C-alpha cells in the first residue's frame, strides 16, 4: 500500500484550472502539477500546456504585472534538435520586445510588467511551462494587475534596463556524470544565477529516449527543496508518460506511468530512479529551489553511489 505521507509529494494527475474563454490551437486550460490542490506545501504554481498551432485568441493579450517572481519556458519537443522550438514567439518584458525561436526560458522579476505574448508561427507542437515562485495560485491571488488595454496597444519601455538579461535562449551544458546510454548527458541548464544574475533557482532539462543503462541512485539535499517532472512527449495524449518509472520517495518506490511531478523537501531522501520501460522520448525537468548554481545545490548533499 502506498504511504499517504509520501503520496502527498507526488502529483500523478493534473488539475485543469479555469482558464477563462477557450483558446484554439493550444491545450486550454493547461495542466497544473503544483498548486493549491497539488503539493501546496511547495509554495509554487507549476503548469504545462501544449501549443499545437498559432493560438486564437492569444492566451495573454495585454500587459500585466505580478507581485511574485515567475519563469516562463517554451520547450522544443524534438529530442534530436532540442534547442529548436519549432515556433516563433513575440513577448514583451518591461516594455521591451523579445522575439525567440529556440527553446527559451524567460525570468520575470516581481513587479516588472510583462506581455502581451503572441505566436507568429508554429511549425510543430511544443510545450509551454509556467512557474510562479512563492505562491500556489497561478496569478498570486489578487496580486495580478492588468495594466495594458490589449495586444494592439504596444507596451511602452520607460527605463533603460536591458531586459534581455532575463532571457536564456541557449542552455549551458554543464559537467555531468559519466556518459549514460539512453539519456541526454550533460543536461541543458536553462536557469541559474550564472545565466541570470541574482536568480536563486536552478533548473535543468534533459531528454530520455530509451531505458538508461544506469539508474539514478538515492540522494538527499539538506539545504534546498527540489521538484522533478517527467513529461510525456505525445501532444495528442499529454498525460501519458509513455514509459514506466520506479521513483524512490522516502523509503518507498512509487510506480509512475503518467506525466508527473515529485516534490522532494530538503532532508527527504528521493531516488533511486529505475526506468522499466521507455516507449517514446520524454522530458526530465529538475529544479533546485533556492540554489543559484548546481554546485551550491549539491553542497552538503548525499548521493548514494553504491
Amino acid at each position: 500500500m502506498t504511504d499517504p505521507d509520501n503520496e502527498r509529494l507526488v502529483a500523478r494527475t493534473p488539475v485543469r484550472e479555469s482558464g477563462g474563454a477557450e483558446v484554439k490551437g493550444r491545450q486550454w486550460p493547461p495542466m497544473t502539477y503544483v498548486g493549491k490542490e497539488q503539493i501546496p506545501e511547495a509554495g509554487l504554481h507549476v503548469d504545462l500546456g501544449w501549443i499545437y498551432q498559432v493560438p486564437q485568441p492569444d492566451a495573454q493579450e495585454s500587459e500585466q504585472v505580478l507581485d511574485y517572481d515567475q519563469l516562463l519556458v517554451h520547450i522544443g519537443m524534438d529530442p534530436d534538435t532540442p534547442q529548436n522550438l519549432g515556433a516563433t514567439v513575440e513577448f514583451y518584458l518591461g516594455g521591451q520586445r523579445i522575439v525567440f525561436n529556440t527553446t527559451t526560458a524567460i525570468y520575470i522579476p516581481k513587479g516588472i510588467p510583462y506581455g502581451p505574448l503572441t505566436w507568429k508561427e508554429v511549425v510543430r507542437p511544443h510545450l509551454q511551462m509556467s512557474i510562479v515562485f512563492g505562491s500556489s495560485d497561478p496569478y498570486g491571488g489578487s496580486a495580478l494587475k492588468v495594466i495594458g488595454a490589449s495586444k494592439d496597444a504596444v507596451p511602452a519601455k520607460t527605463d533603460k534596463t536591458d531586459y534581455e538579461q532575463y532571457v536564456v535562449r541557449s542552455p549551458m551544458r554543464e559537467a555531468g556524470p559519466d556518459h549514460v546510454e539512453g539519456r541526454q548527458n550533460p543536461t541543458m541548464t536553462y536557469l541559474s544565477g550564472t545565466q541570470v544574475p541574482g536568480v536563486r533557482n536552478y533548473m535543468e532539462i534533459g531528454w530520455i529516449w530509451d531505458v538508461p543503462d544506469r539508474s539514478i541512485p538515492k540522494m538527499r539535499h539538506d539545504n534546498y527543496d527540489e521538484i522533478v517532472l517527467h513529461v510525456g512527449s505525445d501532444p495528442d495524449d499529454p498525460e501519458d508518460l509513455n514509459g514506466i518509472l520506479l521513483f524512490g520517495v522516502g523509503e518507498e518506490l512509487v510506480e509512475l506511468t503518467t506525466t508527473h511531478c515529485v516534490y522532494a523537501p530538503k532532508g527527504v531522501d528521493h531516488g533511486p530512479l529505475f526506468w522499466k520501460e521507455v516507449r517514446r522520448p520524454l522530458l526530465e525537468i529538475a529544479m533546485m529551489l533556492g540554489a543559484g548554481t548546481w554546485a551550491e545545490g549539491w553542497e552538503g548533499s548525499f548521493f548514494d553511489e553504491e
Side-chain angles (χ1 to χ4, degrees), residues 239-306:
E239 292 185 41
D240 188 354
L241 186 60
N242 275 289
I244 302 174
L245 170 64
L246 296 179
F247 197 132
V249 182
E251 297 301 317
E252 181 181 10
L253 275 177
V254 177
E255 184 172 284
L256 299 165
T257 61
T258 59
T259 291
H260 60 266
C261 179
V262 174
Y263 173 58
K266 60 183 177 181
V268 173
D269 289 349
H270 54 290
L273 278 70
F274 295 110
W275 286 97
K276 296 174 63 177
E277 183 178 76
V278 175
R279 300 188 301 275
R280 180 185 175 113
L282 56 95
L283 279 178
E284 182 174 71
I285 304 171
M287 176 172 285
M288 198 81 77
L289 304 171
T293 65
W294 182 90
E296 182 182 358
W298 276 97
E299 185 177 358
S301 297
F302 162 80
F303 197 86
D304 184 359
E305 299 190 66
E306 294 185 359

Side-chain angles (χ1 to χ4, degrees), residues 50 52 77 231-242 280-281:
W50 279 86
Y52 306 110
M77 296 301 287
V231 184
S233 66
D234 185 352
D236 297 320
D237 192 1
E239 292 185 41
D240 188 354
L241 186 60
N242 275 289
R280 180 185 175 113

Side-chain angles (χ1 to χ4, degrees), residues 41-276:
E41 66 188 87
L44 302 170
H45 189 277
V46 180
D47 65 45
L48 305 167
W50 279 86
I51 313 297
Y52 306 110
Q53 53 189 268
V54 173
Q56 296 291 335
D58 294 304
Q60 185 188 336
E61 296 183 297
S62 58
E63 191 175 30
Q64 303 172 352
V65 66
L66 187 65
D67 291 336
Y68 295 92
D69 294 344
Q70 299 176 77
L71 181 67
L72 189 63
V73 192
H74 290 84
I75 305 172
M77 296 301 287
D78 182 353
D80 295 324
T81 56
Q83 289 180 238
N84 187 342
L85 182 61
T88 301
V89 182
E90 180 184 76
F91 183 67
Y92 283 85
L93 183 60
Q96 182 172 331
R97 183 173 179 261
I98 307 290
V99 178
F100 56 92
N101 60 10
T102 61
T103 291
T104 296
I106 303 176
Y107 191 77
I108 308 172
K110 62 181 180 181
I112 301 298
Y114 63 94
L117 169 67
T118 57
W119 279 261
K120 299 304 179 183
E121 66 169 352
V122 175
V123 177
R124 65 172 179 269
H126 61 277
L127 194 69
Q128 182 187 63
M129 179 172 70
S130 173
I131 302 177
V132 176
F133 298 100
S135 174
S136 58
D137 187 287
Y139 305 117
S142 61
L144 179 73
K145 303 176 184 67
V146 178
I147 58 177
S150 72
K151 66 178 182 179
D152 298 322
V154 176
K157 192 171 189 294
T158 59
D159 59 34
K160 295 184 179 180
T161 302
D162 182 8
Y163 289 98
E164 281 281 352
Q165 67 184 293
Y166 299 110
V167 182
V168 180
R169 302 170 181 275
S170 184
M172 295 190 301
R173 304 293 184 111
E174 298 185 283
D178 296 335
H179 180 73
V180 178
E181 291 290 340
R183 66 176 299 145
Q184 189 177 6
N185 179 257
T187 55
M188 304 177 292
T189 300
Y190 268 99
L191 184 67
S192 70
T194 303
Q195 294 157 301
V196 182
V199 163
R200 302 297 304 165
N201 296 290
Y202 180 89
M203 183 187 71
E204 57 184 343
I205 300 173
W207 280 93
I208 297 172
W209 49 79
D210 201 351
V211 173
D213 65 0
R214 183 149 44 90
S215 300
I216 296 176
K218 180 187 291 188
M219 65 191 79
R220 183 184 66 246
H221 309 301
D222 288 335
N223 300 324
Y224 302 102
D225 300 341
E226 184 179 19
I227 60 171
V228 180
L229 297 101
H230 291 101
V231 184
S233 66
D234 185 352
D236 297 320
D237 192 1
E239 292 185 41
D240 188 354
L241 186 60
N242 275 289
I244 302 174
L245 170 64
L246 296 179
F247 197 132
V249 182
E251 297 301 317
E252 181 181 10
L253 275 177
V254 177
E255 184 172 284
L256 299 165
T257 61
T258 59
T259 291
H260 60 266
C261 179
V262 174
Y263 173 58
K266 60 183 177 181
V268 173
D269 289 349
H270 54 290
L273 278 70
F274 295 110
W275 286 97
K276 296 174 63 177

